[in-house]
Amino acid sequence: MIALNGETISIVLFFVGVYGLIARRNIIKSIMSISIMQVAIILYFVSTNVAPGSVPPIGDVNQMLLAADPLPQALMITDIVIGIGVTAAGLTLFIHLYHRFGSTNWQKVMKKRNRHD
Amino acid sequence: MISLHWLILSPLIIGTTAKLMPIKAAKKIMVLFQTALLAAVTMIFVEVRQNGPLLENIGSWPDTIGITLRADLLATAMVFLSCFLFLAMVIFVHNKNYADHLFFFLFLGLESLIIGIFLSNDVFNIFVLIEAATLIITILIMYKQASVSVYDAMMYFLINVVAMSFFLMGLGMLYKKIGVLDFYALEAALSQVNNPASLILPYSFMITAISLKAALMPLFSWLPKAHGTPSAPSVVSVILSGLYVKTGIYVFLRLQTTFAPLIDTSELFVILGFITAVVGFMLALAQTDIKLLLAYSTVSQIGVIMIGISLNNPAAYWGGLYHLMNHAIFKSTLFLTAGMIISEYKTRKISEIHGVYSHMPAVGVATILSILGIIGAPLFNGSISKFLIATGASGSWIESGLILINLGTIIVFMKYGQLLFGHSDKKEAANSDILEKAVVLTLSMLCFLGGIFGSDLIAILFNISLTINPLSYGEKMLLFVGSILLGLLIYRSLFKKRNPLAFIRSFELGFNEICLSITLFFAFMVVYLKITL
């Protein structure tokens, strides 16, 4: 029996995102899949090295209490910012792409692009 | 002695503050600044060579806690190469109209990120730098805003983001197991792990992402479109193809050294490198567009470098690294001259360009010298590095494989070289910029000097003395002459009139297929490691 915790859920979520990338032709859905993968990674990191009953590593933690590992949580602040930047840039690029090629389908856009060559 | 973090920060600061000056002054300052940066890197290089690696803990944290910058000989040599290429590019764009404030901001920002990737010792930090570099390169690819390049940029961007998500997932798993993110601390900690099977997943995740960055066999489909896009100025293609792909190889090398005591995949990567090299030159032969041909030839040369650094033999290893440097030099020259030829002839089709040698003599000479470099002609830099790789491979099947790869490269560049000859339709002389000519001629002269002083340069750059046996070198050169004749024969009989490989061009992977190939590569790595460990 695999335990239902943050790590297993995040691995499942990650591959849900990968499935979306492989199986969906829609560009917006591709960008959404990347966001899902990012969320999975964040969930994985924040749930690593957390013992049951530990407290968040913020402020003056009582020495008697067990605090969670602060490093992955600090890393994830950076990754959340990167994730937002990536999604925003991806959507901006998509708007430009849509204006020029008039489609949200990867296949159709690729065909139109190759006609330019 | 300037500290290492200034190498990373100063291009960014200069690139931002240049906005305050008029563009003409800004361009002059760029050249001065790049020269100063090159001088500073040279000083650091001398220091590293005399006293060993420099370490700098950012934020004055104790070792392995915070981010560490580490300048060892290889990293410093790579930084030196980057600064040199960026200096050449800044001089090259001095009289170009497209080089405005925004361009310099992005360009110098990319420089600081590349230097950061080479110097950083922290895996998460490398992830952040690569992610930021992806964003900057995406904008640079579509800098001239041609319609087609939006698609190229979008593909480049999303595929690299997907790959780096794999990297980060692997990093998370690695951190959970080991608890450090510093390369050298990881190396020390991994040698204590006694169950390598527990590291299969993190290793597979990370190596998949880095193989994509280094453009290995199933994962290179994003590269040619990005490097050969019509919209990118040729200096951008140079930095992408000459330098940025090398960051992938560099991180690959660091990762392999870190995992080496537990997971040894060098044989697999020799085979993958070989396949990459062969597929690369086949695809290059199929192209009609000069920039795409050069981009696919980059894929092929990456395969050669990969073979060199994965062979577990000192001669091949240093030969591979020297080939990495050489490739940066001759591919830069080729991309720059291709850009000049395109802007002169207003076409990108190889078959429509004739008589470059008589019409643009300086460009012609530079092209010839760099072609001689890339095909490994005697006395040119390519011959030294290819010779070293072949020495390291002697006795195995890969030695004959290398001859085949070189034959392929020769045929590709015979096809490319056709644009030099013939009669140009243009009457009036080409008015290329004097600075552009100076840059391409200097770079192409380096191809020659790198061959003459090959072993001395290796001794200076990597502090390793490799003697080149004149007898076996002569033997290789006879083999080279044989390959030339065979290549000429094959070219004349098969490729002169028509292109039997043209059908390959119709196979193009879309976004979903590339994501599928990333996933399959990952699954293959997991299965391969499960079986071999």
Side-chain angles (χ1 to χ4, degrees):
Chain A
M1 177 68 197
I2 301 169
L4 201 63
N5 56 20
E7 282 161 34
T8 43
I9 291 174
S10 63
I11 290 173
V12 172
L13 259 183
F14 185 84
F15 283 99
V16 168
V18 173
Y19 169 78
L21 289 174
I22 296 171
R24 296 286 146 213
R25 294 243 185 270
N26 189 312
I27 297 177
I28 299 223
K29 284 184 184 165
S30 296
I31 297 173
M32 283 164 72
S33 303
I34 292 176
S35 302
I36 292 174
M37 285 164 80
Q38 236 125 31
V39 169
I41 293 166
I42 293 167
L43 180 60
Y44 188 91
F45 266 87
V46 294
S47 55
T48 50
N49 298 354
V50 182
S54 54
V55 295
I58 299 171
D60 265 336
V61 179
N62 189 337
Q63 291 295 315
M64 300 300 287
L65 292 170
L66 184 67
D69 185 357
L71 184 69
Q73 318 210 355
L75 295 183
M76 282 310 105
I77 296 173
T78 320
D79 189 52
I80 290 169
V81 175
I82 292 174
I84 291 172
V86 162
T87 314
L91 288 172
T92 319
L93 273 172
F94 170 70
I95 294 171
H96 279 275
L97 193 81
Y98 190 75
H99 280 309
R100 315 231 168 162
F101 296 92
S103 174
T104 57
N105 186 310
W106 279 114
Q107 289 291 314
K108 286 182 185 163
V109 172
M110 188 170 91
K111 282 203 185 96
K112 281 189 182 160
R113 190 250 176 245
N114 286 343
R115 224 171 287 153
H116 281 275
D117 272 347
Chain B
M1 198 67 223
I2 63 166
S3 31
L4 292 176
H5 65 271
W6 282 112
L7 288 185
I8 300 170
L9 280 182
S10 58
L12 211 54
I13 294 170
I14 296 287
T16 319
T17 47
K19 181 94 183 159
L20 303 172
M21 301 166 223
I23 187 69
K24 279 200 169 153
K27 280 178 175 170
K28 296 214 162 48
I29 290 197
M30 292 297 163
V31 176
L32 281 179
F33 164 71
Q34 291 292 346
T35 320
L37 193 65
L38 191 64
V41 173
T42 318
M43 271 165 59
I44 290 180
F45 184 79
V46 172
E47 169 91 12
V48 168
R49 204 161 177 279
Q50 281 168 352
N51 304 336
L54 289 172
L55 259 178
E56 186 186 328
N57 290 347
I58 290 183
S60 311
W61 292 95
D63 285 354
T64 76
I65 302 283
I67 293 171
T68 318
L69 298 180
R70 186 176 193 275
D72 54 11
L73 208 52
L74 176 61
T76 328
M78 298 299 287
V79 172
F80 181 79
L81 177 75
S82 329
C83 290
F84 174 75
L85 276 184
F86 270 94
L87 172 64
M89 294 314 118
V90 168
I91 296 174
F92 187 86
V93 296
H94 197 267
N95 294 336
K96 295 271 193 191
N97 292 330
Y98 61 73
D100 53 10
H101 288 111
L102 177 63
F103 180 81
F104 276 121
F105 170 64
L106 294 169
F107 204 56
L108 293 198
L110 184 59
E111 180 181 17
S112 78
L113 291 171
I114 290 176
I115 295 176
I117 294 171
F118 287 138
L119 290 181
S120 178
N121 206 15
D122 181 280
V123 191
F124 188 78
N125 195 18
I126 286 182
F127 161 78
V128 175
L129 293 170
I130 292 181
E131 204 78 323
T134 306
L135 206 56
I136 290 188
I137 289 170
T138 308
I139 304 171
L140 282 176
I141 287 175
M142 42 189 247
Y143 199 75
K144 287 182 186 164
Q145 298 185 336
S147 220
V148 290
S149 63
V150 181
Y151 175 78
D152 299 341
M154 182 101 181
M155 285 290 265
Y156 174 83
F157 180 67
L158 290 185
I159 287 164
N160 279 280
V161 166
V162 170
M164 289 324 280
S165 303
F166 272 75
F167 185 82
L168 194 55
M169 195 69 191
L171 184 59
M173 293 179 169
L174 191 66
Y175 179 76
K176 181 166 180 268
K177 291 255 160 30
I178 309 292
V180 279
L181 291 169
D182 186 278
F183 262 122
Y184 286 85
L186 267 179
E187 213 174 319
L190 283 177
S191 59
Q192 306 293 318
V193 176
N194 33 25
N195 179 18
S198 62
L199 290 169
I200 288 179
L201 267 183
Y203 177 79
S204 310
F205 269 118
M206 289 168 91
I207 212 73
T208 306
I210 294 305
S211 301
L212 183 129
K213 277 285 165 192
L216 274 182
M217 163 46 201
L219 308 174
F220 62 78
S221 334
W222 57 272
L223 182 142
K225 280 265 156 73
H227 290 192
T229 183
S231 164
S234 54
V235 283
V236 173
S237 302
V238 167
I239 292 303
L240 289 184
S241 208
L243 199 57
Y244 189 66
V245 189
K246 307 324 192 293
T247 62
I249 297 181
Y250 178 78
V251 179
F252 173 84
L253 204 61
R254 298 284 293 268
L255 218 53
Q256 287 291 68
T257 350
T258 311
F259 279 94
L262 292 171
I263 297 176
D264 180 26
T265 46
S266 50
E267 271 176 43
L268 176 71
F269 279 99
V270 170
I271 297 170
L272 279 178
F274 176 71
I275 300 173
T276 310
V278 172
V279 172
F281 78 70
M282 301 268 269
L283 280 161
L285 266 176
Q287 302 306 316
T288 53
D289 180 311
I290 61 175
K291 264 190 154 185
L292 280 183
L293 184 144
L294 292 178
Y296 276 110
S297 139
T298 299
V299 174
S300 171
Q301 299 299 313
I302 296 277
V304 177
I305 297 170
M306 208 47 128
I307 293 174
I309 59 177
S310 302
L311 265 175
N312 278 338
N313 175 302
Y317 179 80
W318 298 112
L321 287 178
Y322 191 51
H323 197 65
L324 189 154
M325 302 251 164
N326 292 340
H327 179 255
I329 303 289
F330 44 65
K331 197 44 74 67
S332 308
T333 322
L334 284 168
F335 264 114
L336 287 181
T337 48
M340 290 162 81
I341 292 168
I342 291 169
S343 66
E344 177 67 27
Y345 283 78
K346 306 276 184 296
T347 175
R348 294 160 57 89
K349 285 229 177 344
I350 296 176
S351 51
E352 290 171 12
I353 302 172
H354 301 288
V356 170
Y357 189 74
S358 55
H359 185 54
M360 307 162 88
V363 174
V365 169
T367 310
I368 289 177
L369 288 177
S370 45
I371 285 181
L372 288 174
I374 200 169
I375 63 176
L379 303 180
F380 281 84
N381 56 1
S383 72
I384 304 284
S385 43
K386 285 182 178 176
F387 169 76
L388 286 173
I389 298 175
T391 321
S394 61
S396 67
W397 60 275
I398 202 76
E399 195 182 10
S400 19
L402 282 168
I403 297 171
L404 173 73
I405 295 166
N406 205 34
L407 181 66
T409 314
I410 287 173
I411 300 173
V412 169
F413 281 93
M414 272 179 187
K415 178 175 170 168
Y416 185 79
Q418 294 305 307
L419 53 78
L420 290 170
F421 309 111
H423 185 70
S424 161
D425 307 332
K426 302 206 179 274
K427 291 285 170 283
E428 72 276 23
N431 53 344
S432 309
D433 184 35
I434 180 82
L435 283 176
E436 291 182 353
K437 286 186 203 161
V439 169
V440 292
L441 283 174
T442 318
L443 283 174
S444 58
M445 278 314 289
L446 281 178
C447 294
F448 186 57
L449 294 178
I452 302 271
F453 302 109
S455 45
D456 305 318
L457 261 178
I458 293 177
I460 294 171
L461 282 174
F462 305 126
N463 199 10
I464 197 113
S465 65
L466 294 167
T467 44
I468 287 171
N469 183 355
L471 200 67
S472 48
Y473 187 71
E475 198 181 305
K476 286 282 167 213
M477 288 311 114
L478 283 180
L479 216 56
F480 172 77
V481 175
S483 309
I484 285 273
L485 293 177
L486 188 61
L488 204 61
L489 198 69
I490 296 176
Y491 179 77
R492 286 266 165 191
S493 55
L494 286 177
F495 294 98
K496 180 87 180 169
K497 293 276 178 273
R498 65 217 149 75
N499 193 342
L501 288 173
F503 69 94
I504 302 182
R505 257 180 301 154
S506 55
F507 293 110
E508 198 201 334
L509 297 184
F511 179 77
N512 304 102
E513 288 83 19
I514 296 180
C515 289
L516 181 64
S517 66
I518 297 175
T519 319
L520 288 179
F521 187 89
F522 166 70
F524 170 75
M525 278 312 290
V526 174
V527 173
Y528 175 83
L529 290 173
K530 276 272 183 219
I531 294 170
T532 51
L533 281 182

